[in-house]
Amino acid sequence: MKARKIVLLTADVILLVVCIVQFILSKKDNVKTFTITDEVTQILIEKADGDINLVKENNNWFIGDKKYPANQSSVDVLLNAASSVRALDRMGSASNENIIAKYELGEGKNITVTVKNSDKTLRVLKIGKESSTGTQSYITVDDGSDVYLISSNLHSSFSKSVDDLRSKNIFTLDKNSISGVSVVEPDESTWTVRRSGEGENLAWTLSGTDVEEKEVDGAATTDWFNTLATLSTTKWYDIGEVSGSKERTLKIFSGNKTVTVDLYSIEAEKPTYYAICSETPYPFEIPSYSVQKFQKKLVDVLK
């Protein structure tokens, strides 16, 4: 009897192992990966709150008819998301209205992403809702008849707004190439501080209103120049969308380039500032951590 029980138990174990292996293999059969190997030059995102058209020109990405410069890292996220889609399981047929409704893949609910190389369509993804875990989503691929649960949350990736995808960089200069800054104060008085030469031959000069017999603090001014080498924003405005009182104008001289920044203040309970810059036609908010470097007074650069 004992021997018979051992044989039966062994058979049960073997049968269980076979079942487990078959289950695993059957699940693997459901896993598909949809990849794109061609270069992508356009990503069209169609969604209920507005379409976004991203186009690559001369290795740079731009958004829409106004050609807003796009944030490259944000575009890279979209490219990676669309170029390799791993489907974990088939959830049903796209011809089944109940399935389409359940996974929010119907018109007005889904996000449709069309990926192109010039006029060649490389992929069309219809993206439904997120999974209950928030880490996956439901899609159809290239107008196929299958609805898939995929391994990534494409819904979150492609539900971004134009402002989310837009580059926030205004300009970036080589800090060592900045040779001078000219300031126009609110009372229209002006002053300009310049540097020339290097090392022992480094020299500072002042010109403008009421600068006679004043001496530049080279260390403090160098630190200031360094802060002016880059500028980014947290919010863009359309032309004519915002108005305020002009605070001052700065001209930053860098090599053969001159960057002009007009600083404006907006009356509010909390001081708010925006700027107009020669590097972009669009007004933009000056973050609180950047305002001070545009408010330097002559006394701040003097010994």
Side-chain angles (χ1 to χ4, degrees), residues 78-90:
L78 302 185
L79 288 171
N80 292 334
S83 295
S84 182
V85 177
R86 187 167 178 260
L88 300 176
D89 204 357
R90 181 182 180 276

Side-chain angles (χ1 to χ4, degrees), residues 55-269:
V55 178
K56 186 178 183 181
E57 295 182 6
N58 299 320
N59 292 321
N60 294 309
W61 285 88
F62 299 92
I63 306 172
D65 294 336
K66 293 184 178 180
K67 293 190 173 183
Y68 298 137
N71 182 291
Q72 185 60 55
S73 62
S74 296
V75 174
D76 287 341
V77 170
L78 302 185
L79 288 171
N80 292 334
S83 295
S84 182
V85 177
R86 187 167 178 260
L88 300 176
D89 204 357
R90 181 182 180 276
M91 308 307 295
S93 173
S95 62
N96 186 320
E97 292 184 3
N98 292 330
I99 292 292
I100 293 300
K102 179 179 180 179
Y103 297 115
E104 298 183 1
L105 285 159
E107 188 175 346
K109 290 282 189 178
N110 70 50
I111 299 172
T112 300
V113 177
T114 305
V115 181
K116 292 185 175 184
N117 178 310
S118 298
D119 294 329
K120 178 184 177 183
T121 298
L122 304 176
R123 173 123 302 140
V124 178
L125 301 172
K126 288 187 178 179
I127 305 167
K129 70 177 185 179
E130 302 174 348
S131 67
S132 58
T133 63
T135 59
Q136 301 162 327
S137 51
Y138 302 92
I139 69 164
T140 62
V141 181
D142 296 333
D143 294 324
S145 60
D146 296 318
V147 174
Y148 293 104
L149 170 68
I150 62 169
S151 62
S152 56
N153 191 341
L154 290 189
H155 187 280
S156 175
S157 297
F158 286 96
S159 61
K160 306 300 183 186
S161 66
V162 169
D163 198 54
D164 292 331
L165 298 173
R166 195 172 172 182
S167 173
K168 302 301 189 294
N169 182 61
I170 310 301
F171 62 78
T172 300
L173 306 171
D174 178 0
K175 63 183 180 181
N176 295 318
S177 73
I178 297 178
S179 59
V181 177
S182 181
V183 179
V184 180
E185 302 278 10
D187 63 1
E188 299 299 322
S189 63
T190 64
W191 54 273
T192 302
V193 57
R194 292 183 180 271
R195 65 181 173 188
S196 59
E198 296 179 356
E200 295 180 356
N201 297 319
L202 179 64
W204 295 91
T205 58
L206 270 176
S207 60
T209 307
D210 193 27
V211 298
E212 293 80 6
E213 299 183 3
K214 292 181 171 61
E215 189 174 354
V216 176
D217 184 331
T221 306
T222 297
D223 289 342
W224 179 42
F225 281 11
N226 291 344
T227 67
L228 292 172
T230 61
L231 179 62
S232 59
T233 185
T234 52
K235 181 179 181 180
W236 289 97
Y237 298 103
D238 281 332
I239 295 172
E241 180 183 352
V242 65
S243 62
S245 302
K246 191 172 183 179
E247 291 277 313
R248 55 178 45 207
T249 297
L250 271 70
K251 290 186 177 181
I252 305 166
F253 308 108
S254 176
N256 295 323
K257 186 183 186 69
T258 300
V259 175
T260 302
V261 179
D262 293 319
L263 180 67
Y264 293 82
S265 61
I266 303 173
E267 289 186 12
E269 292 183 9

Side-chain angles (χ1 to χ4, degrees), residues 18-31 88-90:
V18 170
C19 290
I20 291 172
V21 170
Q22 287 179 337
F23 175 77
I24 292 172
L25 290 176
S26 68
K27 295 301 284 185
K28 285 186 176 179
D29 288 340
N30 289 335
V31 175
L88 300 176
D89 204 357
R90 181 182 180 276

